[in-house]
Amino acid sequence: MAEEGYKERGFFFGSDKPGKEEADEEKGSGGPTAAVSGFHILHISLEKVDIVVDVLVTNPNPIPIPLVDIIYLIESDGHKLISGTIPDAGTVRAHGSETIKIPICLIYKDVKDTYGDIQPGEIIPYRVFVELLIDVPIIGRVSLPLEKKVETPAPYKPDVDLDKIEYDRFSLEETTASLHLKVENKNKFDLGVNTLEYNFTLGDDNIANATLSESTKIGQCGEGILEVPITFRPKDLGSAVWDIIRGHGAGYSMKGKLEVDTPFGPMNIPFSKEGGKEQVKERSRN
């Protein structure tokens, strides 16, 4: 039966004089709405950052509304960095809401190639643009544009170097010492060191290999010292230790991994360093 006098009420249509049932259905009805409800950094490394943008879509109507496409764009200072489309993003149930998660991966090399002024260690401001295309019955396709400002870092690998070795006791049977590792944080944000995994070698001899839980905060663009205790048996080792005993010193190498906290989430940072010549330096005792 043809009906007259229909008018548009947002994205819901009904009679000018609805009956009681129609009025009840109309209560709270209107156009679908969308808002950026969250921004999460899932994983961050020296190469990339994985983020998720949460978009809350609310449908006040008595019928489900399909999401046709989600189009997104990320830019920084007017430079387009990444864009994409998520097709067939699902359906928002009647009188309900759905949180749509948009996964995005930012690769720092691509960011730097696009935006040459970005320096490692900086915090980068972004603008996230999202457009939801919704298929509304009778009306057809409707666009809901969204925008949000966010920040992520472009991490700079900290420099880990051997500052000195202090020997508490040096003997052929058992030697105890402390490695003083200098960590230089070149980032414009703090690093909280939680765990250090390391392998330390003198000459060709593996001296120490362990994991140390170390809680140290290193401020932005600052330095910190990690003191790592080691114990080894020189008589079981080779020529490098004998060079140290004779005062000639020996080259060293170390490699490992730092587990750190940042304002943007945890990171695992590998490091390696070679140097020399390391000589015996007894710890002063009062």
Side-chain angles (χ1 to χ4, degrees), residues 42-266:
L42 297 183
H43 178 262
I44 185 170
S45 69
L46 296 174
E47 293 80 28
K48 66 177 183 175
V49 58
D50 294 312
I51 63 178
V52 169
V53 179
D54 291 339
V55 176
L56 179 65
V57 184
T58 301
N59 175 21
N61 294 286
I63 53 176
I65 295 179
L67 295 174
V68 181
D69 290 324
I70 297 177
I71 302 171
Y72 62 86
L73 165 69
I74 294 183
E75 70 171 30
S76 180
D77 195 26
H79 298 267
K80 176 183 173 181
L81 301 177
I82 189 171
S83 63
T85 300
I86 302 175
D88 302 325
T91 300
V92 184
R93 66 184 183 276
H95 296 303
S97 61
E98 299 288 342
T99 296
I100 310 301
K101 296 185 177 295
I102 305 175
I104 299 172
C105 177
L106 289 171
I107 299 174
Y108 298 126
K109 183 181 182 301
D110 295 341
V111 174
K112 185 171 178 55
D113 289 345
T114 304
Y115 184 11
D117 295 337
I118 291 178
Q119 299 298 319
E122 290 187 348
I123 297 174
I124 309 170
Y126 299 100
R127 291 163 66 94
V128 180
F129 299 94
V130 178
E131 181 182 11
L132 278 72
L133 299 179
I134 298 177
D135 192 2
V136 180
I138 301 178
I139 293 181
R141 185 166 296 188
V142 173
S143 172
L144 298 178
L146 306 169
E147 178 183 338
K148 185 175 179 62
K149 296 180 180 179
V150 299
E151 290 182 335
T152 69
Y156 196 105
K157 184 177 181 178
D159 185 52
V160 181
D161 200 358
L162 179 64
D163 184 57
K164 61 182 176 180
I165 302 179
E166 288 188 337
Y167 293 88
D168 291 312
R169 184 163 62 99
F170 195 98
S171 72
L172 295 179
E173 291 297 328
E174 184 177 78
T175 293
T176 59
S178 294
L179 306 178
H180 289 244
L181 305 183
K182 182 173 69 174
V183 181
E184 183 180 359
N185 178 17
K186 300 180 180 181
N187 295 283
K188 294 184 179 179
F189 51 88
D190 296 346
L191 295 180
V193 179
N194 294 322
T195 304
L196 166 68
E197 294 181 10
Y198 67 95
N199 177 275
F200 183 73
T201 300
L202 280 176
D204 296 325
D205 299 317
N206 184 22
I207 301 298
N209 186 1
T211 299
L212 176 70
S213 294
E214 181 77 20
S215 180
T216 301
K217 182 178 179 180
I218 304 175
Q220 57 178 317
C221 302
E223 294 181 354
I225 296 292
L226 301 180
E227 188 171 340
V228 181
I230 61 172
T231 300
F232 60 97
R233 293 165 57 89
K235 71 176 186 178
D236 296 335
L237 303 176
S239 60
V241 173
W242 296 106
D243 287 339
I244 292 177
I245 294 173
R246 291 194 295 266
H248 300 309
Y252 70 87
S253 66
M254 59 180 179
K255 60 182 179 180
K257 179 179 68 175
L258 292 172
E259 294 182 5
V260 302
D261 285 331
T262 76
F264 308 93

